[in-house]
Amino acid sequence: MKFTFILLIISLCPALWAQTSYVAPTKILAKKGYQLGVYGDAFVTSKRIDKDGKNVDFEDGEKFSRTQGEVIGYYGLTGNLQVGGGARFRQNNSTNQAPLSTLNENETSTGIESTFLTLTFAIEPIDRIQYTLEGLFRYRPYTNDESTPVNEAALVLGDQGSEFSGGLGFRYTSKSSNSVALRVGYRKPGDELSSEIYWQAEGALVFKYAAIVLGVDGVTSMKNDPYEDDALNKAQYYTGSTNLYNSINREFITPYAGLNIALGKTWRVELRGSQVVSARSSDIGTGFGVSLIRRVDDKAGAKVDSQFKEYDFEGTITKVSPRKGFVVIDKGMGDDVQKGMKIDFFEFDYVGGNILLARGTVISTKADSSIVKISHFYNTKKELKEGIVARGSFR
């Protein structure tokens, strides 16, 4: 019913949509651009898997769920470097049978799970391929109390200790704005936990007003837990009815699917469902997430032609009509080009500089191209042809 309602809103409210409903996880902001987001997700455990890959059955009445939210902000320091930071709030709910009783005990842990900082550096793109380098530092402001046979500690909020990670990202974007992104890297997830390799693969089918997202997250342990063969001497914390925390060489694979919806020019909503299908020293279960994001790519760092005016984007002519009255440029809705925008056309070389040839108005846009009607010719001695530079402004 909820999904049907969302589709109804999509079909009835086209005026709400922005040009881009999807941003790949490896795409960074332009200089002075920013993104603010509120993220929430819920996870319910269906099976616990031990360090040997064996299923640990729930006792009668046992269950576990986790709800968490994040507030995250990103800022484009330069055209190639993005910084970010935020905080995560978490609540764990565990139900298990009380000792020497037929009654179930419900226990909850709630609080700020971590704060974090990120850095992402983008290497200059090669055609439609972009590589990025990423790093993350996560600080957890708590320590867990050890649990003993005579003194059971409180339910943990999560693993303790700071987390470090660094990796490589890859993105390919097609002419129709569909995208494939890959991420892989090294992570040290906390104190007395094995290092691991994290990885993600994501593809998006991008439409004018929405996007369908399919992907998979995974963690592969480097199997260097100091207590791998000595689990009895590993510090014991009360984790309730879950194996998500205090793991030994944890591993998991989590496919997911999502629907992104653009709202207005800068806002979007992301809905995501996921299912852990394979795990070791962790939980198998189902998750659902929802995010509300505002992204503003400030083009203040755009190219400037001092003789004429400041421009926010630059493209090229890819096709010219026989009578030179219309041209097609390689910028479209995915680049925030809209009907009615004014476009200036320049002949550029390293000897004569910029020569303004013509000016036109955008009359039609697609995902990665636009048709421009020429309104003025400023230099009739120069030919308007494929490869000529096209520049426009959002102001």
Side-chain angles (χ1 to χ4, degrees):
M1 179 63 73
K2 290 182 179 179
F3 186 74
T4 303
F5 176 74
I6 291 169
L7 292 179
L8 181 63
I9 293 296
I10 293 174
S11 63
L12 294 180
C13 302
L16 292 176
W17 313 128
Q19 281 70 32
T20 303
S21 58
Y22 174 76
V23 177
T26 59
K27 183 178 181 179
I28 72 168
L29 291 154
K31 183 179 179 181
K32 296 186 179 180
Y34 68 89
Q35 176 175 302
L36 299 173
V38 180
Y39 306 75
D41 69 81
F43 176 83
V44 178
T45 295
S46 58
K47 294 180 182 179
R48 294 172 294 181
I49 310 298
D50 68 13
K51 68 182 184 68
D52 299 316
K54 297 179 181 179
N55 181 37
V56 180
D57 293 328
F58 277 135
E59 300 292 338
D60 290 341
E62 272 194 304
K63 58 184 178 180
F64 177 83
S65 64
R66 180 189 68 194
T67 305
Q68 58 187 19
E70 293 183 344
V71 178
I72 307 176
Y74 298 101
Y75 181 75
L77 280 181
T78 70
N80 298 94
L81 183 62
Q82 173 183 286
V83 298
R88 175 188 290 166
F89 178 88
R90 174 180 289 170
Q91 182 178 80
N92 293 319
N93 290 282
S94 180
T95 302
N96 56 324
Q97 195 173 84
L100 305 177
S101 172
T102 59
L103 299 177
N104 291 329
E105 288 183 340
N106 296 312
E107 296 181 280
T108 301
S109 58
T110 305
I112 301 296
E113 190 272 338
S114 62
T115 58
F116 53 92
L117 294 172
T118 68
L119 280 175
T120 308
F121 177 79
I123 301 169
E124 289 299 321
I126 303 172
D127 294 328
R128 296 183 174 275
I129 296 174
Q130 176 89 67
Y131 293 96
T132 54
L133 300 173
E134 61 185 38
L136 176 143
F137 170 73
R138 184 182 298 276
Y139 169 73
R140 296 185 175 93
Y142 59 85
T143 56
N144 295 324
D145 296 327
E146 288 195 43
S147 194
T148 67
V150 296
N151 183 24
E152 186 174 80
L155 179 66
V156 301
L157 189 62
D159 291 316
Q160 66 182 15
S162 297
E163 174 186 320
F164 304 86
S165 68
L168 173 69
F170 163 88
R171 185 181 82 252
Y172 171 79
T173 305
S174 71
K175 290 185 177 181
S176 56
S177 296
N178 297 327
S179 177
V180 175
L182 304 173
R183 296 171 59 239
V184 63
Y186 166 87
R187 177 191 291 139
K188 184 66 175 72
D191 292 347
E192 299 184 340
L193 297 173
S194 173
S195 302
E196 55 195 29
I197 302 297
Y198 69 87
W199 49 271
Q200 178 186 14
E202 181 174 292
L205 190 60
V206 182
F207 302 100
K208 186 175 181 180
Y209 307 131
I212 297 172
V213 182
L214 296 174
V216 58
D217 277 319
V219 162
T220 302
S221 176
M222 298 185 70
K223 300 188 184 303
N224 56 12
D225 190 291
Y227 296 97
E228 179 179 2
D229 299 317
D230 192 18
L232 292 178
N233 286 322
K234 186 178 178 73
Q236 299 299 306
Y237 306 112
Y238 182 54
T239 58
S241 301
T242 181
N243 284 352
L244 289 175
Y245 312 124
N246 203 33
S247 63
I248 296 179
N249 298 331
R250 69 171 182 173
E251 295 184 333
F252 58 81
I253 299 174
T254 310
Y256 59 85
L259 174 67
N260 292 9
I261 306 168
L263 303 172
K265 185 177 181 180
T266 58
W267 293 86
R268 71 180 187 273
V269 172
E270 298 182 353
L271 307 175
R272 176 178 293 189
S274 63
Q275 175 67 50
V276 182
V277 296
S278 177
R280 184 182 294 266
S281 195
S282 189
D283 289 2
I284 285 179
T286 304
F288 178 78
V290 59
S291 307
L292 179 63
I293 301 168
R294 173 177 169 84
R295 185 180 181 93
V296 177
D297 257 332
D298 192 337
K299 305 299 191 300
K303 299 171 176 62
V304 177
D305 185 285
S306 58
Q307 185 178 356
F308 300 103
K309 62 180 181 179
E310 182 176 339
Y311 296 96
D312 293 318
F313 66 88
E314 181 176 287
T316 57
I317 293 177
T318 60
K319 188 178 295 185
V320 183
S321 68
R323 296 188 178 183
K324 315 295 184 184
F326 299 87
V327 300
V328 177
I329 64 173
D330 62 353
K331 297 293 180 181
M333 292 183 294
D335 305 286
D336 289 340
V337 176
Q338 302 178 29
K339 290 177 62 176
M341 279 186 173
K342 302 297 182 183
I343 306 294
D344 291 342
F345 297 94
F346 293 86
E347 181 181 75
F348 175 79
D349 59 47
Y350 294 99
V351 179
N354 292 298
I355 301 174
L356 180 62
L357 304 184
R359 177 169 294 163
T361 303
V362 176
I363 62 171
S364 177
T365 60
K366 294 183 179 180
D368 61 350
S369 64
S370 301
I371 298 175
V372 181
K373 181 179 180 181
I374 303 302
S375 56
H376 296 87
F377 285 94
Y378 295 101
N379 192 321
T380 57
K381 296 181 180 180
K382 299 288 185 178
E383 182 183 2
L384 204 59
K385 59 185 179 181
E386 294 181 8
I388 291 294
V389 174
R391 292 173 178 166
S393 174
F394 297 109
R395 291 174 292 278

